[in-house]
Amino acid sequence: MKDVTSRYRGAFFVLLSAFLYGFIPILAVFAYKKDVSVMSFHLVRFTIASVALFCLLYLRRGKAALMVGKKKLFQLFVLGGVLFTLTSFSYFSSFKYIPASIAALIFYSYPALVSVGSSYINKEYLSMTLVLSIVVSFMGLIFLSGKTAISVSIKGVLLAGLGALSYTSYILYGNFIIKDVPYQVVVAYVCFFSAISFLILGSVARGLALPNASSTWILLCFVAFVSLFGFLSFFLGVELTSPSIAAILSMAEPLVTVVLSLLIFKEYLSITQYFGGVLVLVGSFLALKASASR
């Protein structure tokens, strides 16, 4: 049974992860302006993050910390090389066919999927407060998305939906793995196997184009470390709370992206979008209350 203090600490780490993840799309915009492809973006991002974390683990805990056994290694491959790679690829690819706001709205339906899946797999009680937080957060994302085109590409919708489904599996499966493997090790292997997968996919699709400018490499290194700390914070948050709570609190991520876009790119927000942002925060607060009372 997790105490209240641990749950609040876990909620803090999940919200920190949401901020870091919400910052990545902003950095991606700058990278794309420097002609960095989606495949290259993820390849460099995950390669640098995995190397940094492996080195850190080796220096602090020695070689033994990285030895997880063949069975766990395969599970980590599924988690990073399949589920997380599929999530990243499908979600980012959906932007080519539908507006980012529509893609985000579809993708961020995953907390409801995680809550239902977690309640069934992990025997978690799906309280009315938790259900309400899902509804409020989802309504907030609808307002936050602003005006969008009525006609959308079915392919884009399917890609964003696939991203939500694969990310749901990623969270639930990841929570199962961190019961036996330290979360830092999990993150390292997730990044490593994701990098390998993007290298293979990029080579086959001929979508790799590494940058030449040093400023672009500095940007990509910064993205990698933001991703690294986002990974660590999220898994630690899941460990201290639960998959359902972590997924719902992560819905603050699109709010972070919108606010940073406003501050950095001076993008205009309507009254309804501000209202949507408030609803997302209210939904996160309800999730935190549900976590503290369990």
Side-chain angles (χ1 to χ4, degrees):
M1 186 70 178
K2 298 167 183 174
D3 57 42
V4 175
T5 302
S6 295
R7 287 183 178 273
Y8 274 105
R9 285 178 58 227
F12 167 78
F13 282 114
V14 173
L15 289 174
L16 175 61
S17 171
F19 172 80
L20 295 173
Y21 283 148
F23 192 31
I24 291 176
I26 306 299
L27 298 174
V29 171
F30 286 111
Y32 296 156
K33 289 180 179 180
K34 294 179 179 290
D35 298 323
V36 177
S37 67
V38 175
M39 290 286 189
S40 301
F41 180 81
H42 289 303
L43 172 61
V44 175
R45 169 190 175 193
F46 295 134
T47 298
I48 296 176
S50 62
V51 170
L53 192 51
F54 276 134
C55 290
L56 180 62
L57 287 171
Y58 181 79
L59 291 174
R60 294 189 62 183
R61 302 185 182 183
K63 184 179 179 181
L66 304 178
M67 308 303 291
V68 295
K70 293 182 179 180
K71 181 179 179 181
K72 287 299 178 184
L73 190 64
F74 176 75
Q75 292 175 340
L76 290 167
F77 165 74
V78 173
L79 185 67
V82 178
L83 296 177
F84 195 73
T85 299
L86 181 59
T87 298
S88 301
F89 177 77
S90 57
Y91 181 47
F92 275 82
S93 296
S94 69
F95 297 157
K96 298 180 180 179
Y97 305 100
I98 57 177
S101 57
I102 291 291
L105 179 59
I106 297 172
F107 180 76
Y108 280 94
S109 63
Y110 78 80
L113 300 176
V114 170
S115 295
V116 174
S118 179
S119 65
Y120 176 77
I121 296 174
N122 299 323
K123 312 300 182 182
E124 292 182 341
Y125 175 64
L126 200 62
S127 67
M128 288 302 299
T129 304
L130 202 56
V131 173
L132 180 62
S133 68
I134 295 173
V135 174
V136 171
S137 296
F138 189 75
M139 289 299 297
L141 288 174
I142 294 177
F143 285 109
L144 196 59
S145 66
K147 296 181 179 180
T148 57
I150 296 177
S151 178
V152 295
S153 167
I154 296 299
K155 186 175 183 179
V157 171
L158 292 176
L159 283 169
L162 178 60
L165 288 172
S166 59
Y167 197 56
T168 297
S169 301
Y170 167 79
I171 292 174
L172 294 174
Y173 195 52
N175 186 62
F176 167 75
I177 293 176
I178 62 176
K179 292 178 180 178
D180 302 313
V181 182
Y183 71 93
Q184 300 98 326
V185 178
V186 171
V187 173
Y189 278 105
V190 164
C191 292
F192 172 73
F193 284 123
S194 294
I196 295 298
S197 294
F198 275 111
L199 175 62
I200 296 174
L201 289 172
S203 299
V204 172
R206 297 184 178 181
L208 295 179
L210 297 179
N212 295 318
S214 58
S215 60
T216 306
W217 277 107
I218 292 174
L219 173 62
L220 291 177
C221 288
F222 183 65
V223 171
F225 284 104
V226 170
S227 301
L228 173 62
F229 288 113
F231 277 127
L232 291 173
S233 297
F234 181 77
F235 270 108
L236 181 57
V238 171
E239 189 176 285
L240 293 174
T241 56
S242 70
S244 299
I245 298 300
I248 295 169
L249 289 175
S250 293
M251 294 183 77
E253 180 182 329
L255 176 61
V256 171
T257 303
V258 169
V259 171
L260 290 177
S261 297
L262 174 64
L263 296 176
I264 297 174
F265 301 124
K266 307 301 180 182
E267 294 180 354
Y268 173 76
L269 290 179
S270 66
I271 298 298
T272 56
Q273 287 176 316
Y274 280 116
F275 179 65
V278 171
L279 288 181
V280 171
L281 290 178
V282 171
S284 295
F285 175 75
L286 289 174
L288 184 57
K289 279 192 63 177
S291 173
S293 62
R294 290 168 65 179

